[in-house]
Amino acid sequence: MKKIILTGDRPTGQLHIGHLFGSLLKRVELQEEYDTHIMVADVQALTDNFNNPQKVRDNAFEVVLDNLAVGVDPNKSTIFIQSMIPEIAELTVFYSNLVTVSRLQRNPTVKEEIKQKKELFKDSVTFGFLGYPVSQAADITVFGADLVPVGEDQLPMIEQTREIVKKFNSIYGDILKEPEALIGSIGRVKGLDGNSKMGKSLNNAIYLADEPEVIEQKVKKALTDIKKIKIDDKGNPDDCMVYYYHQMFSKNNLENIKNECQSGTRGCVQCKKELSENIIKYLEPIREKRKYYQDRPELVREIVKDGTKRARIKASEILKKVKKGMRIDYF
Ligand code: ATP
Ligand code: MG
């Protein structure tokens, strides 16, 4: 029996190089060995976009394109839509008895995100948003996932899932599996502006679908060492977002870049040009594959429809066991 993976993306925008190194490359690698499930988390996206359903609908297609573009293979991985698996919603209701409000309020990621979403939630957060870690526990356990490849910001969610599983099993019998998180090659990719997270909604991202000219423009505006003004000023690569991305995209020339910057023999303009060229080259096959699928919306629809059908069959198997354990398997 292959081990099981559950991972996914919220359809709140296109995916970027933060997702690529934080999560996408890992799932592509693991799909060879694991029974991989990739969820378009539309129900979760609605928790903070309930007033903008069209945005979520449009981006559902976009995140599927991004996954296919980076090499997720629909013959190896199951791509599905969260809202089309009602078993997840059922489990969420059952699990909500097993977690306290104060525990959810203490979840560091939820806490941080509520702060960021002040405008939406004003002085009181919705029941749905506060409870999204519970729904995430349902996403993971409804497929019996062993492993959850995620970015670092998701670690508290996996911890919360493990707590729910333990509590569930202690009351209703040994039915659910405790999942493990798996962090990508870079736990948290920083934004072009130096922000600690490149984010879909933070205007600091290079998207997988960005055209070469757009990438060039974005790199030109990236934050560099503010003390290096003239070309021959000595720079500090650790204070420079351009060097930060060189570490991902210019591995074969890295020492050289660092030395030249530190000794004042490399100007930022040239350094940025080199970086955007490397990013463009790296993303080219991804962009091409994305276009292939973008031009074939019917094919993409079939891939997701088929994946959702398969996912639902698996989910209903676990739900049967859960209901039996909870003594609500009436007839
Ligand atoms: P949102 O702001 O809507 O939450 P997001 O950019 O956080 O969007 P998600 O769809 O929530 O994206 O996350 C998908 C996966 O990508 C998660 O595993 C998350 O941890 C990871 N991820 C997101 N941003 C980064 C980043 N900057 N670096 C590394 N991993 C990331
Ligand atoms: Mg997120």
Side-chain angles (χ1 to χ4, degrees):
M1 278 289 273
K2 276 186 174 176
K3 286 206 170 188
I4 300 166
I5 278 182
L6 180 281
T7 186
D9 311 287
R10 291 157 40 96
T12 51
Q14 291 181 345
L15 302 185
H16 49 62
I17 58 173
H19 300 110
L20 186 66
F21 292 99
S23 168
L24 297 173
L25 289 176
K26 198 86 211 163
R27 62 181 81 155
V28 172
E29 179 193 323
L30 294 171
Q31 70 179 345
E32 304 297 331
E33 263 183 74
Y34 288 81
D35 184 7
T36 300
H37 301 74
I38 296 173
M39 181 176 79
V40 178
D42 60 342
V43 176
Q44 195 188 116
L46 283 165
T47 59
D48 53 336
N49 291 277
F50 53 85
N51 51 2
N52 202 349
Q54 195 57 42
K55 172 180 159 190
V56 174
R57 175 61 183 256
D58 293 342
N59 282 307
F61 181 66
E62 297 293 329
V63 299
V64 172
L65 286 183
D66 286 323
N67 272 277
L68 293 169
V70 298
V72 168
D73 178 347
N75 294 314
K76 294 176 183 154
S77 294
T78 304
I79 306 177
F80 69 97
I81 309 265
Q82 186 184 20
S83 63
M84 302 293 287
I85 315 286
E87 287 80 3
I88 295 177
E90 281 187 69
L91 270 190
T92 305
V93 173
F94 304 150
Y95 292 171
S96 64
N97 296 324
L98 308 178
V99 57
T100 64
V101 173
S102 67
R103 173 65 182 90
L104 289 166
Q105 284 166 334
R106 276 199 313 274
N107 180 311
T109 302
V110 173
K111 228 164 135 176
E112 169 76 26
E113 288 177 343
I114 291 175
K115 240 189 269 163
Q116 284 167 4
K117 296 171 206 298
K118 263 227 135 36
E119 211 173 302
L120 177 68
F121 293 131
K122 305 267 181 329
D123 40 35
S124 186
V125 67
T126 59
F127 176 57
F129 190 81
L130 183 67
Y132 94 76
V134 183
S135 128
Q136 221 164 302
D139 305 332
I140 294 167
T141 53
V142 84
F143 299 106
D146 299 279
L147 264 193
V148 191
V150 282
E152 199 181 65
D153 63 308
Q154 291 300 305
L155 285 180
M157 303 300 168
I158 312 302
E159 196 42 49
Q160 191 129 41
T161 298
R162 291 164 63 91
E163 284 175 30
I164 290 172
V165 167
K166 278 192 203 116
K167 183 102 190 236
F168 183 98
N169 286 347
S170 73
I171 302 172
Y172 305 113
D174 212 1
I175 294 165
L176 303 175
K177 224 187 276 174
E178 250 184 79
E180 304 267 353
L182 187 76
I183 300 293
S185 58
I186 304 176
R188 187 183 294 238
V189 177
K190 294 185 195 173
L192 286 159
D193 55 355
N195 190 305
S196 67
K197 186 182 166 196
M198 182 174 279
K200 285 182 192 131
S201 49
L202 298 171
N203 204 16
N204 64 1
I206 292 177
Y207 294 96
L208 303 179
D210 276 348
E211 293 294 336
E213 311 79 65
V214 177
I215 295 175
E216 244 167 65
Q217 285 308 316
K218 286 182 175 175
V219 171
K220 266 188 195 159
K221 288 191 203 133
L223 185 77
T224 53
D225 176 3
I226 48 168
K227 290 196 227 73
K228 181 168 162 62
I229 297 160
K230 295 195 297 309
I231 197 165
D232 53 354
D233 284 344
K234 289 181 178 159
N236 180 2
D238 293 336
D239 285 341
C240 176
M241 292 316 295
V242 176
Y243 181 73
Y244 176 81
Y245 298 116
H246 270 308
Q247 292 174 307
M248 296 173 212
F249 294 98
S250 315
K251 286 206 172 98
N252 52 3
N253 194 26
L254 205 57
E255 269 309 295
N256 199 22
I257 294 170
K258 189 173 190 172
N259 292 337
E260 286 179 1
C261 174
Q262 284 172 331
S263 62
T265 51
R266 162 176 284 257
C268 296
V269 173
Q270 179 215 339
C271 196
K272 285 177 170 174
K273 189 160 172 283
E274 204 174 310
L275 175 64
S276 41
E277 278 169 10
N278 289 349
I279 298 180
I280 291 164
K281 214 183 301 155
Y282 187 99
L283 293 182
E284 194 171 277
I286 295 178
R287 202 165 44 246
E288 263 169 29
K289 204 160 186 192
R290 200 179 191 282
K291 284 210 181 96
Y292 173 88
Y293 283 107
Q294 195 171 11
D295 292 342
R296 291 165 179 78
E298 267 313 307
L299 171 62
V300 176
R301 201 177 125 87
E302 279 313 308
I303 288 171
V304 180
K305 206 169 150 191
D306 177 60
T308 303
K309 202 164 129 195
R310 283 187 280 140
R312 179 124 201 236
I313 293 169
K314 292 189 190 167
S316 65
E317 285 164 12
I318 298 229
L319 205 77
K320 231 186 244 160
K321 290 186 199 160
V322 163
K323 286 190 164 175
K324 189 159 184 265
M326 294 182 71
R327 317 287 187 270
I328 50 174
D329 56 334
Y330 296 103
F331 31 76

